[in-house]
Amino acid sequence: MKYPFAVILFIISNALYSQSTTKESPLVTIEKNSFFHNYNIENFYLHTNKSLYFTEERVFFKAYVVNEVNNKPNLDTKNLHVNIYDFNNQLILSKLFYTENGVSSGSIALPKDLESGEYTIQLDTQWNKNFKEGSNFTIRIYNLKDSKTETTILENEEIEDHQKQSEDINEDNITFFPKADPF
């Protein structure tokens, strides 16, 4: 070997040139990669038959699962998870419903031992759990056996009765009599 120094210098320069430093974090690189953006991320819409329920009542609903990009029904989704959480974010009920052409409907019976308060209905799919949490919708549930609810309902009824009585007092009575025939 006539030029060992030149060979060593060539190897070192190739090694240094092949190692490039990236200034971006790995997460930024992943986000820029179009592979991760080809998936259909889902959005959810929910219609319930009302927003106020009593315990032991059924919540009837119709849910829509749509693609986030174009807001069209997601035809690939087949199962919809419907969860009900209490005001302490504790899971109360969880049911699975069949979804066809991005639409699901059904009903959930509320237990009789729920406390009065605001509850959250969460819609989610197994696929969507890879990207973000499902969508949350709020309903109110009253337990008639709860003393707080009875007091609140009675107070509201008393206020409404008082308003009706005050309206009756302020009303003027007008009476119309038929015109007397002179013949």
Side-chain angles (χ1 to χ4, degrees):
M1 236 192 210
K2 293 185 179 181
Y3 305 102
F5 180 71
V7 172
I8 292 173
L9 185 63
F10 178 72
I11 292 171
I12 291 173
S13 66
N14 275 344
L16 291 175
Y17 180 72
S18 65
Q19 294 179 1
S20 63
T21 58
T22 59
K23 295 182 180 183
E24 296 178 344
S25 72
L27 292 176
V28 172
T29 306
I30 289 173
E31 286 180 9
K32 285 183 177 179
N33 189 346
S34 64
F35 175 76
F36 290 97
H37 294 287
N38 290 334
Y39 291 122
N40 294 328
I41 298 176
E42 301 165 330
N43 284 338
F44 304 94
Y45 297 98
L46 178 71
H47 296 287
T48 57
N49 58 330
K50 53 188 181 174
S51 59
L52 173 67
Y53 295 92
F54 293 103
T55 53
E56 298 185 79
E57 201 172 5
R58 293 191 81 74
V59 177
F60 292 93
F61 71 91
K62 189 168 190 176
Y64 302 91
V65 182
V66 298
N67 291 329
E68 185 177 62
V69 176
N70 58 13
N71 218 25
K72 291 185 178 179
N74 191 341
L75 305 177
D76 297 330
T77 301
K78 298 299 176 201
N79 293 318
L80 178 69
H81 297 271
V82 179
N83 304 316
I84 298 182
Y85 292 91
D86 67 1
F87 37 86
N88 295 322
N89 208 22
Q90 298 295 318
L91 181 64
I92 303 297
L93 287 167
S94 181
K95 296 237 176 180
L96 184 66
F97 291 91
Y98 177 70
T99 303
E100 186 174 10
N101 296 326
V103 179
S104 182
S105 61
S107 67
I108 298 175
L110 297 173
K112 65 179 176 180
D113 57 345
L114 293 178
E115 294 181 29
S116 298
E118 283 194 358
Y119 288 76
T120 303
I121 298 177
Q122 182 188 54
L123 302 180
D124 211 350
T125 61
Q126 195 65 34
W127 174 257
N128 199 57
K129 290 180 182 181
N130 294 317
F131 303 103
K132 61 180 182 177
E133 279 188 22
S135 297
N136 297 326
F137 305 91
T138 305
I139 60 170
R140 258 192 103 59
I141 298 175
Y142 285 117
N143 186 339
L144 293 176
K145 295 179 183 174
D146 186 7
S147 61
K148 290 184 232 174
T149 304
E150 288 179 9
T151 305
T152 305
I153 291 173
L154 288 176
E155 287 174 358
N156 288 342
E157 287 178 358
E158 289 174 5
I159 290 171
E160 289 174 5
D161 287 342
H162 179 70
Q163 288 174 346
K164 286 180 184 176
Q165 289 174 358
S166 65
E167 288 173 3
D168 290 342
I169 292 172
N170 293 333
E171 265 185 30
D172 291 329
N173 291 333
I174 299 174
T175 308
F176 293 97
F177 296 102
K179 183 177 178 182
D181 193 19
F183 299 109

